[in-house]
Amino acid sequence: MSSAPQLMNAVLEEKMSRISEVLVSSITPFQLMMGKLLGMTAVSFVLAVFYLMGGAYALFYAGRLDALEPSLIAWFLLFLVCAVLMYGSLFVAIGAAASDIKDAQGMMQPAMIVVLFPIFASSIVLQHPDSGIAIGASLFPTATPFLMLVRLALKPGPPFWQLALSVALTLGAATALVWAAGRI
């Protein structure tokens, strides 16, 4: 969530300074938006790896390296990429639809409700991780990166088909949002 609003500001700046018109003359709007999104995803991934290395060092220094679960770290990195793509595409679409910062701020309120949904649903997932509500909420694209990690941390964890479906739904929704942003 810390890097996604920067994408919205970048799209707005390019629209207001008319740089996007020059860029779109050589590439499609979808390619422009996806390029921004993939660049931000790469930056977020590298930062997360550095944070994980720092955490692993702290655990090693404390003699608690056994607390690291490699499979959970791998799922974290995958869902981090999904989260940056999902939230970034949402903010790219807002930036494409707005004509200035004030318009974008007005559009952010409904988007933030959707983005904050997983925090509200996390108590249900923590209490009943295999309930229908928890499964449905964790398959909702904007909630998937957060809620699937919560369900993965709770044993026995979700079945693999739910993990695969959640990743596919999140990446599909992100692609659709980037396509919509390019059309706007």
Side-chain angles (χ1 to χ4, degrees):
M1 280 304 300
S2 62
S3 58
Q6 295 171 3
L7 288 170
M8 180 188 71
N9 289 336
V11 171
L12 277 171
E13 277 183 29
E14 288 175 359
K15 280 178 61 177
M16 291 181 357
S17 64
R18 305 229 185 258
I19 294 173
S20 59
E21 293 172 3
V22 174
L23 293 172
V24 172
S25 67
S26 60
I27 59 173
T28 66
F30 178 80
Q31 291 171 334
L32 176 64
M33 301 297 178
M34 189 58 83
K36 288 179 176 306
L37 191 55
L38 291 177
M40 186 57 71
T41 302
V43 169
S44 297
F45 186 83
V46 169
L47 286 173
V49 167
F50 278 113
Y51 278 118
L52 286 171
M53 288 179 2
Y57 177 76
L59 286 172
F60 174 75
Y61 186 75
R64 293 295 323 259
L65 200 54
D66 60 322
L68 277 181
E69 197 172 324
S71 65
L72 196 56
I73 291 172
W75 282 111
F76 165 75
L77 290 172
L78 175 65
F79 282 118
L80 171 81
V81 169
C82 288
V84 174
L85 290 172
M86 181 72 234
Y87 300 141
S89 65
L90 184 65
F91 283 97
V92 162
I94 291 171
S99 57
D100 61 8
I101 300 267
K102 287 180 87 174
D103 289 342
Q105 288 173 345
M107 290 181 204
M108 279 182 59
Q109 186 175 10
M112 291 306 290
I113 291 170
V114 172
V115 169
L116 293 176
F117 166 72
I119 294 170
F120 303 126
S122 64
S123 63
I124 296 169
V125 173
L126 285 170
Q127 292 174 358
H128 307 286
D130 292 327
S131 68
I133 294 172
I135 292 169
S138 63
L139 292 176
F140 189 69
T142 58
T144 292
F146 181 74
L147 294 180
M148 273 300 179
L149 278 175
V150 170
R151 290 184 63 209
L152 274 165
L154 301 171
K155 298 302 176 205
F160 183 76
W161 71 267
Q162 290 179 8
L163 294 167
L165 180 61
S166 67
V167 169
L169 288 172
T170 304
L171 295 178
T175 303
L177 281 168
V178 170
W179 177 83
R183 300 297 297 169
I184 294 171

